[in-house]
């Protein structure tokens, strides 16, 4: 799956962003399939905005986001849903779990959204064990700590098939040890799918062996 | 799709406003029942009126004449039918058979035989044989026969037996005796006269007149007729349904009249039809309100789960899936309501059929096809309206 951006520019940040140079904004960039992409961005430069544009849940931009050579607006709602179930997965910065569900139900929701789940329940248990969250799986997600929620959100994103994984500061609430474990799991799952990811973060890091670096 | 819907159930609560939903369901049930009852009563009525099993009850003969009003009193010509009026009657859809009633244009005097000392001026009329309710092999006359078969109205003998004879201290007479009595019938045109023997062959409940065979009538009118061809002032029709409102309206519109007793059923029927229509109408109104409440209920659910729906869609739930889930929460209930209504109606119809059977009226034991069609139609309509609502609001939020 090919993701391309052409002259992408967020309308609300336009004036601010035009005053500084950027490797992404107002440029033509093509993310080649299967590559690990790191986008480093200081606060307030539209990091989350970019992820939302790439995932097509915000539309206030000029320029184009091309997915498989088709601009996002050309996809209808059901096609978009199919893309989000099969091709593209996301870890939101604000996690976005359902508070009325338990941790494992939050993961299962994504897992069984498609008629033929990609992962088995055992696989979920396995990933939970790897991230040290097995003991909270049956708890309501309302009662989880931020770090636990973040790991549940990571497992949820990995419970589906994808070509691209979008991550918006995915380790912001994790300690070093847990970050290392999560990164290893993500890298393994991406490799297993021959998938790439786009990760945005504030600082440089050594969690992955990145193929490409961009400065937002 | 099952486990996903199980999870959706925890996110999209369809439990809010459950009492409202229950009330709407009861409303839908009542609406459906009213509509189905209206359809079934209509079909039962048609069966009673037109089905072959009940046919003999309704097909009837009506003698039609113009109403004698004060304005046309004394002008006998005005009470006669013009040829175009006769054609118009013949052309009516409710007229199965049509016959003219020919009246005599000669003088008739009838005398009782022997020493009964009874003589009266009279008249004769004739109708085509097919309109008679008296079957008798003596009912024929050929030129040269000295005996004339006569049919009297049953009412005539009743008037005599229960009115006249009791008050005058005269003996009551049985039908058989009247049939055995040879009457002296003298017909004349003031110049010549001829005497015949009148022989009563039967009594008619259908036509209130003194009837002779058409062959005699035409011969006698030819020979003894005093006036020229007399215009027809009474006609007889056979109609499958004397209570048909169109027939009654036709008669009223043209100032015709007939034996009102036979039309009485028409009024009953009109009342029943009106009641049935009103029931059906209320059913439709109720259905409308039920659908409105359902729509509002769906709208409420979607609005109260707006954020959840948005997040679900963000995570990749197809609007298709959401719609299917929402419809799945309601449609089984509709089907249950439909089946319950059908069962109730089938029970009602069975009881109705049993009760009517005691009165020799035959209606089907099972609800008619119209009822099933009605059920499907109402359910289809409700489903369609729900589908529209769900489509509209899910698309709005996704």
């Amino acid at each position: 799956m090919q993701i391309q951006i052409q002259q992408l520019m967020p309308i609300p940040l336009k004036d601010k962003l035009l005053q500084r140079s950027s490797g992404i904004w107002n440029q033509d960039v093509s993310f080649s399939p299967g590559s690990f992409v790191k986008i480093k961005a200081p606060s307030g430069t539209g990091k989350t905005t970019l992820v939302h544009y790439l995932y097509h849940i915000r539309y206030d931009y000029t320029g184009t986001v091309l997915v498989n050579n088709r601009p996002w607006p050309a996809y209808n709602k059901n096609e978009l849903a199919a893309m989000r179930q099969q091709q593209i997965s996301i870890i939101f910065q604000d996690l976005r779990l359902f508070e009325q569900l338990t941790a494992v139900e939050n993961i299962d929701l994504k897992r069984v959204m498609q008629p033929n789940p990609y992962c088995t329940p055992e696989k979920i248990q396995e990933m939970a064990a790897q991230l040290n969250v097995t003991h909270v799986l049956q708890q309501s997600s309302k009662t989880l700590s931020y770090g636990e929620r973040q790991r549940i959100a990571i497992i949820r994103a990995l419970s589906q098939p994808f070509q691209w994984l979008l991550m918006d500061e995915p380790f912001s609430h994790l300690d070093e040890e847990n970050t290392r474990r999560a990164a290893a799991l993500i890298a393994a799952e991406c490799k297993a799918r021959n998938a790439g990811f786009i990760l945005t973060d504030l600082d440089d890091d050594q969690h992955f062996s990145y193929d490409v670096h961009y400065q937002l | 799709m099952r486990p996903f819907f199980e999870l959706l159930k925890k996110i999209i609560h369809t439990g809010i406003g459950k009492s409202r939903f229950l009330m709407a369901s009861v409303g839908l049930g009542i609406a459906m029942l009213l509509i189905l009852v209206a359809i079934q009563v209509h079909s039962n009525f048609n069966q009673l009126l037109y089905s072959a099993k009940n046919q003999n009850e309704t097909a009837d003969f009506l003698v039609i004449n113009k109403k004698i009003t004060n304005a046309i009193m004394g002008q006998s010509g005005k009470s006669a039918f013009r040829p175009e009026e006769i054609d118009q009657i013949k052309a009516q859809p409710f007229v199965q058979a049509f016959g003219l009633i020919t009246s005599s244009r000669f003088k008739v005097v009838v005398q009782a035989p022997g020493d009964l000392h009874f003589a009266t001026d009279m008249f004769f009329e004739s109708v085509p044989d097919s309109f008679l309710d008296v079957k008798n092999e003596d009912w024929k006359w050929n030129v040269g026969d000295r005996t004339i078969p006569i049919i009297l109205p049953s009412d005539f003998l009743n008037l005599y037996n229960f009115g006249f004879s009791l008050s005058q201290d005269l003996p009551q007479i049985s039908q058989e005796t009247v049939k055995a009595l040879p009457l002296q019938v003298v017909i004349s045109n003031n110049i010549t006269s001829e005497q015949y023997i009148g022989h009563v062959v039967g009594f008619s409940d259908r036509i209130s007149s003194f009837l002779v065979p058409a062959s005699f009538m035409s011969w006698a009118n030819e020979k003894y007729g005093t006036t020229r061809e007399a215009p027809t002032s009474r006609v007889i029709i056979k109609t499958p349904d004397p209570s048909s409102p169109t027939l009654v309206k036709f008669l009223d519109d043209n100032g015709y009249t007939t034996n009102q007793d036979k039309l009485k059923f028409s009024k009953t029927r009109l009342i029943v039809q009106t009641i049935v229509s009103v029931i059906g109408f209320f059913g439709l109104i109720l259905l409308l309100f039920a659908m409105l409440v359902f729509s509002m209920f769906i709208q409420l659910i979607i609005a109260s789960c707006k954020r959840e729906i948005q997040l679900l869609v963000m995570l990749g739930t197809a609007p298709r899936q959401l719609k299917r889930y929402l419809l799945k929460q309601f449609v089984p209930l509709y089907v249950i309501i439909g089946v319950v209504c059908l069962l109730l109606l089938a029970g009602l119809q069975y009881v109705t059929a049993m009760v009517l059977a005691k009165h020799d009226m035959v209606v089907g034991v099972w609800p008619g096809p119209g009822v099933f069609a009605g059920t499907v139609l109402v359910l289809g309509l409700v489903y369609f309206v729900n589908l529209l609502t769900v489509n509209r609001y899910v698309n709005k939020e996704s």
Side-chain angles (χ1 to χ4, degrees):
Chain A
M1 178 184 141
Q2 186 83 33
I3 300 181
Q4 266 176 287
I5 52 176
Q6 293 172 342
Q7 308 297 320
L8 191 62
M9 201 65 187
I11 295 166
L13 299 175
K14 205 164 194 165
D15 295 336
K16 187 177 165 193
L17 292 176
L18 279 173
Q19 292 166 10
R20 56 194 294 279
S21 65
S22 161
I24 299 286
W25 296 131
N26 217 14
Q27 307 288 327
D28 288 357
V29 181
S30 175
F31 301 105
S32 38
S35 55
F36 288 7
V37 179
K38 165 78 189 272
I39 297 174
K40 185 186 153 191
S43 299
T45 51
K47 180 166 38 71
T48 300
T49 307
L50 173 68
V51 172
H52 287 186
Y53 290 166
L54 293 178
Y55 195 62
H56 197 51
I57 51 179
R58 259 185 85 166
Y59 326 105
D60 52 344
Y61 56 79
T62 55
T64 345
V65 179
L66 287 171
V67 175
N68 290 334
N69 294 318
R70 261 171 88 194
W72 265 135
Y75 288 81
N76 69 34
K77 284 173 179 170
N78 285 317
E79 285 173 325
L80 190 61
M83 292 293 284
R84 289 175 183 167
Q85 288 182 15
Q86 306 283 340
Q87 310 263 328
I88 186 164
S89 191
I90 189 164
I91 302 168
F92 292 107
Q93 185 187 26
D94 50 356
L95 308 178
R96 305 199 180 183
L97 300 180
F98 284 102
E99 293 201 337
Q100 53 270 68
L101 299 183
T102 64
V104 72
E105 282 170 344
N106 263 297
I107 300 168
D108 263 344
L109 180 75
K110 185 88 212 204
R111 191 175 68 85
V112 298
M113 197 175 280
Q114 46 202 321
N116 307 307
Y118 178 82
C119 283
T120 59
E122 293 74 40
K123 173 75 183 167
I124 300 297
Q125 291 292 335
E126 212 177 284
M127 291 196 278
Q130 236 173 306
L131 298 191
N132 289 327
V133 285
T134 311
H135 61 289
V136 298
L137 281 183
Q138 300 305 327
Q139 282 182 29
S140 162
S141 62
K142 221 186 312 188
T143 64
L144 302 187
S145 72
Y146 271 107
E148 287 161 344
R149 286 185 206 192
Q150 194 152 42
R151 282 172 280 172
I152 296 300
I154 290 171
I155 299 174
R156 179 174 72 179
L158 296 178
S159 70
Q160 68 164 94
F162 58 81
Q163 295 293 300
W164 281 103
L165 176 62
L166 304 178
M167 294 183 276
D168 191 5
E169 296 189 54
F171 310 127
S172 52
H173 300 291
L174 299 185
D175 59 36
E176 219 164 282
E177 168 61 11
N178 277 317
T179 301
R180 197 186 50 75
R181 286 165 171 266
L185 179 65
I186 291 168
E189 290 300 320
C190 285
K191 289 283 180 229
R193 292 167 172 82
N194 281 325
F197 67 67
I198 297 171
L199 184 145
T200 62
D201 212 337
L202 296 166
D203 309 302
D204 288 316
D205 66 78
Q206 302 300 322
H207 303 318
F208 299 98
S209 51
Y210 299 109
D211 299 314
V212 199
H213 284 269
Y214 289 100
Q215 180 81 29
L216 197 64
Chain B
M1 214 44 72
R2 271 275 122 212
F4 181 56
F5 282 179
E6 290 301 319
L7 288 171
L8 279 188
K9 212 170 257 176
K10 296 186 179 177
I11 298 171
I12 301 175
H13 293 291
T14 49
I16 47 163
K18 208 153 210 171
S19 57
R20 256 170 295 183
F21 184 66
L22 222 67
M23 251 146 59
S25 307
V26 172
L28 175 67
I30 294 173
M32 188 122 106
L33 204 61
L34 288 181
I35 292 170
L36 295 188
V37 163
I39 295 173
Q40 185 58 41
V41 168
H42 184 77
S43 122
N44 283 354
F45 240 79
N46 277 346
Q47 280 184 43
L48 286 177
L49 291 173
Y50 302 117
S51 98
K53 289 177 191 158
N54 297 301
Q55 192 75 68
N56 45 6
E57 299 221 334
T58 53
D60 214 337
F61 294 86
L62 295 177
V63 175
I64 295 174
N65 51 264
K66 289 192 171 177
K67 209 174 266 175
I68 306 290
T69 61
N70 286 341
I72 65 170
M73 250 168 66
Q75 303 163 280
S76 62
K78 287 214 172 156
S79 71
F81 289 107
R82 294 195 303 276
E84 61 267 25
E85 286 173 334
I86 286 175
D87 289 341
Q88 189 200 9
I89 297 173
K90 274 185 195 169
Q92 293 306 311
F94 49 77
V95 174
Q96 258 181 4
F98 177 90
L100 298 176
I101 296 183
T102 318
S103 43
S104 53
R105 285 177 277 123
F106 44 84
K107 291 197 166 165
V108 180
V109 177
V110 173
Q111 288 180 313
D115 46 2
L116 279 174
H117 303 298
F118 170 80
T120 181
D121 280 348
M122 246 179 58
F123 67 95
F124 285 140
E125 286 186 304
S126 73
V127 297
D129 286 354
S130 59
F131 290 94
L132 285 176
D133 54 347
V134 176
K135 298 284 174 255
N136 193 309
E137 48 196 45
D138 292 336
W139 182 254
K140 56 179 188 275
W141 187 88
N142 296 313
V143 180
D145 288 358
R146 301 307 301 163
T147 304
I148 314 165
I150 299 172
I151 292 175
L152 299 181
S154 304
D155 288 344
F156 181 70
L157 191 60
N158 290 340
L159 277 178
Y160 171 80
N161 273 338
F162 303 110
F164 191 69
S165 74
L166 290 178
S167 65
Q168 304 291 316
D169 209 13
L170 289 169
Q172 288 177 306
I173 314 173
S174 71
Q175 287 199 349
E176 287 67 32
T177 309
V178 175
K179 284 181 187 171
L181 284 179
L183 301 167
Q184 281 181 29
V185 177
V186 178
I187 60 171
S188 66
N189 60 358
N190 291 334
I191 302 159
T192 56
S193 68
E194 208 166 340
Q195 188 170 336
Y196 290 89
I197 297 166
H199 174 212
V200 175
V201 298
F203 295 86
S204 171
D205 288 318
R206 187 177 293 163
I207 301 163
S208 253
S209 186
F210 304 98
L211 298 174
V212 292
S215 51
F216 174 76
M217 180 61 81
S218 56
W219 175 83
N221 266 345
E222 187 76 21
K223 190 164 178 198
Y224 292 99
T226 48
T227 54
R228 272 176 285 109
E229 188 72 32
T232 309
S233 56
R234 297 214 288 176
V235 298
I236 181 165
I237 61 163
K238 184 185 180 194
T239 176
D241 176 14
S243 63
S244 137
T246 41
L247 166 62
V248 176
K249 187 171 181 303
F250 175 78
L251 295 181
D252 280 349
D253 287 353
N254 290 285
Y256 301 156
T257 180
T258 183
N259 187 346
Q260 292 298 318
D261 206 39
K262 293 187 171 166
L263 304 181
K264 251 186 189 163
F265 189 44
S266 158
K267 274 196 187 129
T268 319
R269 193 171 150 198
L270 208 69
I271 291 170
V272 171
Q273 268 181 355
T274 311
I275 292 175
V276 167
S277 309
V278 168
I279 289 176
F281 180 71
F282 274 119
L284 282 178
I285 295 282
L286 204 54
L287 177 68
L288 212 74
F289 277 104
M291 289 196 301
L292 193 72
V293 175
F294 278 130
S295 294
M296 284 165 63
F297 184 71
I298 291 171
Q299 197 180 335
L300 181 72
I301 288 176
I302 295 175
S304 71
C305 300
K306 193 173 164 174
R307 286 170 56 86
E308 282 82 359
I309 288 175
Q310 282 169 349
L311 181 50
L312 279 168
V313 171
M314 215 176 276
L315 288 175
T317 309
R320 244 203 315 259
Q321 288 173 302
L322 285 174
K323 289 171 196 168
R324 202 179 312 153
Y325 167 75
L326 284 170
L327 283 176
K328 229 176 178 167
Q329 307 305 306
F330 308 121
V331 171
L333 182 79
Y334 300 152
V335 174
I336 291 171
I337 290 174
V339 169
V340 168
C341 283
L342 264 183
L343 286 179
L344 271 177
L345 193 87
L348 278 177
Q349 177 66 9
Y350 184 78
V351 172
T352 308
M354 290 298 123
V355 169
L356 286 180
K358 283 186 191 148
H359 301 282
D360 285 330
M361 292 189 267
V362 183
V363 294
V365 180
W366 294 102
V371 169
F372 291 98
T375 311
V376 171
L377 212 72
V378 169
L379 287 182
L381 186 70
V382 173
Y383 177 77
F384 179 69
V385 169
N386 277 338
L387 188 70
L388 280 186
T389 316
V390 166
N391 263 339
R392 190 167 146 216
Y393 287 98
V394 167
N395 284 341
K396 203 169 124 190
E397 301 306 342
S398 61

